[in-house]
Amino acid sequence: MSPALAKSVEDYHKGVKYLHESGIQRVPKKYIFPISERPNSSYTINGKPKMSLPIIDFSQLHGPNRVQVLDSLSYACENYGFFQLVNHGIPEEVIRSMVDVGGKFFDLPLVEREKYMTTDMTTPVRYGTSFNQTNDGVFCWRDFLKLVCEPLHDVLPHWPSSPSDFREMAIAYSKETKILFIKLVEAILESLGINVTTKNKTQQQNDDVEEILKEFEDGSQLMAINFYPPCPNPNLTLGMPPHSDYGFLTLLLQDEVEGLQVKFNGDWVTIQPIPGSFVVNVGDHLEIFSNGKYKSVLHRVLVNSLKSRISVASLHSLPFNSIIKPSPKLISEKNPILYRDTDFAAFLEYIKSCDSTNKSFLETRKLT
Ligand code: OGA
Ligand code: NI
């Protein structure tokens, strides 16, 4: 057997970039999904259907079309769980630099990247492969670097210091996405009828919203830089298995290579990248907070045989120790509580104990 084919379990833990660079010609068994979970040939990268997500023009939010924008936002969160955000105000330069420096990190030799490899889910920085590499029976075709972003002062010394501009670019990017997230939360609260400062509101209502926003300002932020190298048999595997995101909102930056698919009306549909925009999705915590009005929707990632793909996901929620529960303002006799209270500790316990798909975490939070 040629050395390139003789892969061991340890090699799989070195990640798929390593496998790709070692010149494998076929996807190892470890990465082959059961037939029913493989990318269906009619939904592969080059196939149909493709769908345009609702597009939210953020610059219109503070103009005369505010009400329509809020309506579209609400429609998107209820029916798709996803939207594309354009004219969001984050400088192009910040976005480009983040993707560049992320790419440069993955270009570092394995010995350099390996320093951050750990199975401890609570470290401020974690390099890894697949989805949950300790438990996954089948591995997926992804390497990632996860960075805890808060409190910056404590976590920063743990972030990679190479490439030399990594920290600078990642700080700028995390700060900008955090600001954008807060603005989005403000709009989302308003779209849910939990209104923000308008003249028609009482002082008490304004104070309540200020308090919620304040909690989000102190909230958690996690960045995942995902790297999907070319894969010799993209029809046999996935870059990420179907999952929902656990936070409140995820701001996802994808490069120009397609790969993200969202479950819509029972089909997997490919989301075409809009350069410079964000794909924003409702996470489990927002589904719970909205008492089920806004949906945390399954999504997955396909890989391809020609191009690497990079994405940066910024996951935001309340502080790690906060309890996530349906907003009391949305609960009434007609709209009874549908979810159990939850927190990050419960989520971490859950993912430690299960493999690939974490959709059922949200299921465990539902009251029947
Ligand atoms: C994620 C995710 C999609 C992508 O990181 O949770 O869904 O396109 N990423 O990388
Ligand atoms: Ni996701």
Side-chain angles (χ1 to χ4, degrees):
M1 198 187 268
S2 82
L5 290 173
K7 293 297 167 207
S8 65
V9 172
E10 294 89 80
D11 284 336
Y12 300 147
H13 285 270
K14 291 178 185 166
V16 285
K17 179 145 194 297
Y18 168 80
L19 289 185
H20 168 66
E21 285 170 350
S22 70
I24 54 152
Q25 301 293 318
R26 260 186 296 151
V27 159
K29 245 209 200 108
K30 183 75 181 163
Y31 298 82
I32 301 181
F33 277 67
I35 291 176
S36 63
E37 293 169 38
R38 291 180 201 166
N40 180 316
S41 55
S42 60
Y43 300 127
T44 51
I45 290 277
N46 300 312
K48 302 286 170 198
K50 288 180 185 163
M51 179 183 68
S52 326
L53 286 178
I55 294 177
I56 304 293
D57 183 341
F58 206 65
S59 66
Q60 300 262 322
L61 195 64
H62 296 286
N65 297 329
R66 181 171 180 86
V67 174
Q68 288 92 314
V69 178
L70 288 173
D71 279 350
S72 313
L73 187 63
S74 184
Y75 186 84
C77 294
E78 271 188 71
N79 296 286
Y80 297 83
F82 271 81
F83 55 90
Q84 304 235 44
L85 190 69
V86 299
N87 296 327
H88 44 66
I90 297 187
E92 256 176 67
E93 178 61 22
V94 172
I95 289 182
R96 204 183 30 242
S97 303
M98 184 65 225
V99 176
D100 286 352
V101 87
K104 279 198 267 171
F105 175 82
F106 284 96
D107 279 342
L108 295 172
L110 183 63
V111 283
E112 193 60 37
R113 283 176 279 141
E114 250 174 358
K115 287 182 193 164
Y116 306 101
M117 216 172 236
T118 166
T119 49
D120 179 357
M121 308 263 211
T122 60
T123 53
V125 57
R126 182 157 70 94
Y127 183 74
T129 191
S130 189
F131 196 69
N132 177 358
Q133 109 197 54
T134 322
N135 292 349
D136 292 346
V138 179
F139 270 24
C140 50
W141 202 261
R142 168 183 84 137
D143 293 340
F144 62 83
L145 180 71
K146 288 193 180 171
L147 302 169
V148 174
C149 304
E150 310 263 349
L152 189 61
H153 176 268
D154 296 342
V155 293
L156 191 60
H158 300 275
W159 285 11
S161 49
S162 173
S164 59
D165 52 350
F166 183 90
R167 289 183 185 176
E168 185 191 339
M169 300 309 168
I171 293 170
Y173 183 82
S174 70
K175 285 190 171 160
E176 292 282 355
T177 46
K178 175 73 178 243
I179 294 168
L180 181 56
F181 165 72
I182 297 291
K183 291 183 190 160
L184 277 168
V185 170
E186 228 176 291
I188 279 179
L189 292 177
E190 190 165 348
S191 76
L192 283 168
I194 304 171
N195 263 18
V196 190
T197 41
T198 61
K199 291 182 206 83
N200 305 335
K201 297 290 142 191
T202 64
Q203 190 57 45
Q204 178 59 42
Q205 283 169 311
N206 286 340
D207 287 351
D208 289 348
V209 170
E210 288 306 316
E211 206 169 293
I212 302 176
L213 287 175
K214 175 79 187 56
E215 212 183 339
F216 277 109
E217 261 153 40
D218 298 334
S220 60
Q221 180 177 10
L222 180 86
M223 274 189 344
I225 309 172
N226 300 307
F227 185 82
Y228 308 94
C231 171
N233 306 100
N235 291 326
L236 301 180
T237 190
L238 291 170
M240 263 179 122
H243 67 282
S244 63
D245 294 349
Y246 61 84
F248 203 80
L249 284 180
T250 303
L251 276 57
L252 179 82
L253 186 65
Q254 45 173 355
D255 67 9
E256 76 290 353
V257 182
E258 282 178 10
L260 176 63
Q261 291 194 318
V262 174
K263 193 94 179 241
F264 184 66
N265 285 343
D267 286 333
W268 287 108
V269 288
T270 300
I271 303 309
Q272 281 181 297
I274 302 176
S277 74
F278 285 97
V279 173
V280 179
N281 64 294
V282 173
D284 295 351
H285 293 173
L286 177 50
E287 180 170 325
I288 293 172
F289 180 84
S290 71
N291 201 36
K293 185 168 195 240
Y294 290 173
K295 301 291 188 301
S296 176
V297 169
L298 285 180
H299 50 287
R300 69 178 188 182
V301 177
L302 305 189
V303 288
N304 75 89
S305 58
L306 298 175
K307 286 186 176 171
S308 310
R309 176 171 180 270
I310 196 163
S311 71
V312 183
S314 191
L315 287 82
H316 301 261
S317 193
L318 290 170
F320 281 109
N321 300 322
S322 292
I323 303 289
I324 318 286
K325 58 169 191 266
S327 168
K329 296 190 186 355
L330 300 175
I331 302 306
S332 63
E333 217 169 301
K334 275 210 201 119
N335 190 11
I337 283 205
L338 296 177
Y339 299 83
R340 258 178 257 288
D341 292 2
T342 192
D343 60 12
F344 268 105
F347 175 74
L348 284 177
E349 267 317 301
Y350 182 84
I351 46 169
K352 259 195 249 157
S353 69
C354 72
D355 85 350
S356 293
T357 171
N358 69 19
K359 182 61 181 177
S360 36
F361 177 67
L362 193 52
E363 295 303 321
T364 67
R365 302 289 94 189
K366 283 184 184 161
L367 295 163
T368 40

